[in-house]
Amino acid sequence: MASSEVGEVLDFEEYVRTRQEALLRSARRLVPDPVDAQDLLQTALARTYGRWDGIADKSLADAYLRRVMINTRTEWWRARKLEEVPTEQLPDASVDDGTEQRADRALLIEILGVLAPKQRSVVVLRHWEQMSTEETAAALGMSTGTVKSTLHRALARLRQELESRELQARQLEHDERGRERCAA
């Protein structure tokens, strides 16, 4: 192996080492199953490795890899086997219209409002944006220990708020049943 080839292999390995988590997050957004996401990323990395020397501007490597992942996912989708089995009776049709997801999301956004701005920022970056503790600390200009303790307190506050709201909902339901009995 020539020294330039060795250099390119090391360059690619360093790139993968530093960008692997972000690329895996991108793969997880493309396919729902975590194992399939890892397979997708590995396939994209294998395809990109063969063309690594052709990427003149390495700052565009993330975009190149994401495009390879999208194309690979599309190939997999087109090649999938349809596992339909004819039956005498149709299965019960259940439609997931996304109402529960929208309600959960609205509740989450509403409950995030009880947090202090610093706590809300930490929760959003760590759990919504899926940043590491170190990335969150760098983004917010605080130490990793501060991020961890702030996150711990924020999650405890969110749990407390959810439990309080659940208790209120149960109490309201109980009161309504009592009123219905009295009216009858």
Side-chain angles (χ1 to χ4, degrees), residues 28 36 170:
R28 285 185 179 149
D36 288 344
R170 276 196 236 131

Side-chain angles (χ1 to χ4, degrees), residues 98-138:
T99 304
E100 281 187 42
Q101 286 179 333
R102 283 191 291 281
D104 288 346
R105 185 181 183 104
L107 176 63
L108 176 62
I109 289 170
E110 181 183 329
I111 287 189
L112 281 173
V114 303
L115 297 178
K118 181 171 132 181
Q119 289 179 327
R120 190 170 39 250
S121 297
V122 170
V123 169
V124 168
L125 292 178
R126 281 289 289 127
H127 291 289
W128 206 304
E129 295 297 324
Q130 297 179 341
M131 287 184 166
S132 69
T133 303
E134 293 76 18
E135 290 170 331
T136 303

Side-chain angles (χ1 to χ4, degrees), residues 115-124 126-127 133 136 140 142-158:
L115 297 178
K118 181 171 132 181
Q119 289 179 327
R120 190 170 39 250
S121 297
V122 170
V123 169
V124 168
R126 281 289 289 127
H127 291 289
T133 303
T136 303
L140 296 175
M142 56 178 67
S143 71
T144 57
T146 303
V147 168
K148 289 177 184 179
S149 63
T150 302
L151 181 63
H152 177 75
R153 284 191 299 274
L155 293 177
R157 177 69 178 104
L158 289 174

Side-chain angles (χ1 to χ4, degrees), residues 33-91:
D33 184 77
V35 174
D36 288 344
Q38 289 175 346
D39 289 346
L40 178 63
L41 177 58
Q42 289 303 313
T43 302
L45 288 172
R47 290 179 177 181
T48 302
Y49 177 71
R51 300 190 183 269
W52 186 249
D53 58 338
I55 302 174
D57 186 358
K58 300 299 189 220
S59 67
L60 299 176
D62 278 9
Y64 183 88
L65 256 160
R66 286 187 179 99
R67 174 50 55 194
V68 171
M69 284 192 283
I70 290 168
N71 291 345
T72 302
R73 186 218 36 206
T74 303
E75 289 172 18
W76 290 356
W77 180 80
R78 287 179 180 155
R80 76 191 189 289
K81 290 182 179 178
L82 295 178
E83 297 178 9
E84 293 180 5
V85 179
T87 63
E88 291 294 319
Q89 276 189 308
L90 292 175

